[in-house]
Amino acid sequence: MRNTSFLGKLLALTESTNEHEANLAKAKLEEQLEKRGINLDQLEQQLGDMSVVEEDIEVIAFRYGQPYKRVDPAVSIILSAVADYYNGKIVFTPFKMSRTGNTKCDKEYIKDSEGKVYRQMEITASRSRQIEIEIYTDYLVQAIQDAWARHTQEDPFAVAMKGATYRNYWRKGWAREVEARFEKMKRDEQQNGKQLKLADKTINVSALAVVKANKAELAKVEEFYAERYPSLSKGSGFTEGGDGSSAGRSAGSQVGLTRQMSGNSQRQIAGY
């Protein structure tokens, strides 16, 4: 049941107006269909069954992005916003990898020349949310890069004069605006309800049902998170404001967030 709903989400993503997202979803869908030994017609027939609306909640932890020495604040804000929308949580964890000739253990921390440990962003969420979180975040990371490129073309002299600090505040402003919009989207769904689109069926879901589903999923995620990170302390966060933040927020208000996914509210990615 859960696996079919997962494939339904991939199927919906293949219709995205974002070419990169659609192509990635098509490749993953073909891979999963072959793995399960079914074709597209059989999947669509299964999605017509109303039972796929109900999903088991299986919580997992998975990594996003490449290991880093210094976190990109904008990317971490975007990932956190997407994860939170899907009732997930993120943490910055030390990165380990296998090393040939390591006789002490199978994996070890990777450090730079100064002895600082590389880290990686890890998400705790329902397994059925993983593909949505990854693809949605990929889309927004590309969107912020495109938006910054347009901004530099509009006033290249000013951008060059203000330097890297301006760029960093602009990107954080963009990401914070997107974060605020995600929070509003979630509040609206919990106050007004939403629609589920499964194959050729559209189902209206009440606000009460949305709230109950979110609470149930988040409770499972928080239980898993607390067990995995029992002594995790809260970070200090990123520096806010600064020259460029307002312009970044203005640009962030223009990116399309609404999209359409099977098993979630109708949310069609728009142009930005």
Side-chain angles (χ1 to χ4, degrees):
M1 186 184 301
R2 175 176 54 77
N3 289 339
T4 305
S5 185
F6 166 75
L7 293 179
K9 293 168 185 176
L10 277 178
L11 178 61
L13 284 170
T14 64
E15 302 299 322
S16 170
T17 56
N18 181 277
E19 183 178 358
H20 171 76
E21 180 179 59
N23 289 338
L24 180 58
K26 287 175 184 177
K28 287 184 177 291
L29 179 61
E30 290 176 2
E31 176 187 324
Q32 293 299 319
L33 288 176
E34 182 177 355
K35 181 178 179 181
R36 289 166 172 76
I38 62 175
N39 58 37
L40 187 58
D41 290 338
Q42 291 172 317
L43 172 61
E44 291 179 340
Q45 183 177 2
Q46 292 175 26
L47 288 173
D49 184 350
M50 290 290 292
S51 66
V52 300
V53 177
E54 297 296 332
E55 295 185 9
D56 297 326
I57 301 174
E58 179 189 0
V59 180
I60 62 170
F62 58 95
R63 302 293 181 94
Y64 179 85
Q66 296 299 314
Y68 59 84
K69 289 191 291 185
R70 184 174 182 180
V71 66
D72 183 330
V75 173
S76 69
I77 292 169
I78 290 169
L79 177 60
S80 181
V82 174
D84 181 75
Y85 180 75
Y86 290 115
N87 301 311
K89 301 172 75 70
I90 75 166
V91 66
F92 306 103
T93 61
F95 177 71
K96 286 186 175 183
M97 67 175 292
S98 300
R99 279 292 180 89
T100 303
N102 186 341
T103 58
K104 293 182 179 180
C105 55
D106 294 334
K107 293 186 176 182
E108 64 178 319
Y109 292 117
I110 304 305
K111 302 178 181 179
D112 64 12
S113 58
E114 298 178 351
K116 295 181 179 179
V117 177
Y118 279 72
R119 306 182 78 82
Q120 195 170 22
M121 292 180 284
E122 183 173 280
I123 304 96
T124 298
S126 168
R127 181 182 293 277
S128 65
R129 303 293 197 182
Q130 180 176 359
I131 186 66
E132 295 171 305
I133 292 172
E134 291 174 338
I135 293 181
Y136 213 160
T137 303
D138 285 347
Y139 159 70
L140 290 170
V141 169
Q142 184 62 53
I144 193 174
Q145 293 172 351
D146 293 344
W148 173 250
R150 288 194 299 272
H151 185 63
T152 59
Q153 291 172 359
E154 291 166 359
D155 195 351
F157 180 75
V159 169
M161 290 295 292
K162 293 177 180 179
T165 300
Y166 176 85
R167 175 182 179 273
N168 291 338
Y169 279 124
W170 188 97
R171 283 166 53 83
K172 282 189 284 189
W174 192 99
R176 287 301 186 193
E177 181 63 24
V178 166
E179 179 184 50
R181 292 173 62 197
F182 268 117
E183 291 172 352
K184 184 178 184 303
M185 284 169 56
K186 192 167 186 176
R187 285 197 304 271
D188 287 346
E189 289 181 355
Q190 294 190 143
Q191 292 173 359
N192 305 315
K194 64 180 181 181
Q195 289 183 318
L196 296 178
K197 187 173 179 60
L198 294 171
D200 59 347
K201 296 183 179 182
T202 299
I203 308 161
N204 293 317
V205 182
S206 70
L208 179 60
V210 172
V211 171
K212 283 185 64 177
N214 283 342
K215 284 185 176 180
E217 187 173 34
L218 186 57
K220 290 283 188 179
V221 168
E222 289 183 335
E223 179 182 8
F224 181 99
Y225 188 85
E227 291 178 357
R228 189 173 178 85
Y229 309 107
S231 58
L232 188 67
S233 60
K234 188 175 181 180
S236 58
F238 302 114
T239 304
E240 303 294 339
D243 188 19
S245 179
S246 178
R249 280 188 172 273
S250 178
S253 69
Q254 303 302 312
V255 66
L257 294 186
T258 54
R259 65 199 285 135
Q260 179 175 308
M261 289 183 184
S262 291
N264 289 280
S265 58
Q266 288 189 332
R267 304 187 285 275
Q268 180 64 49
I269 288 182
Y272 56 90

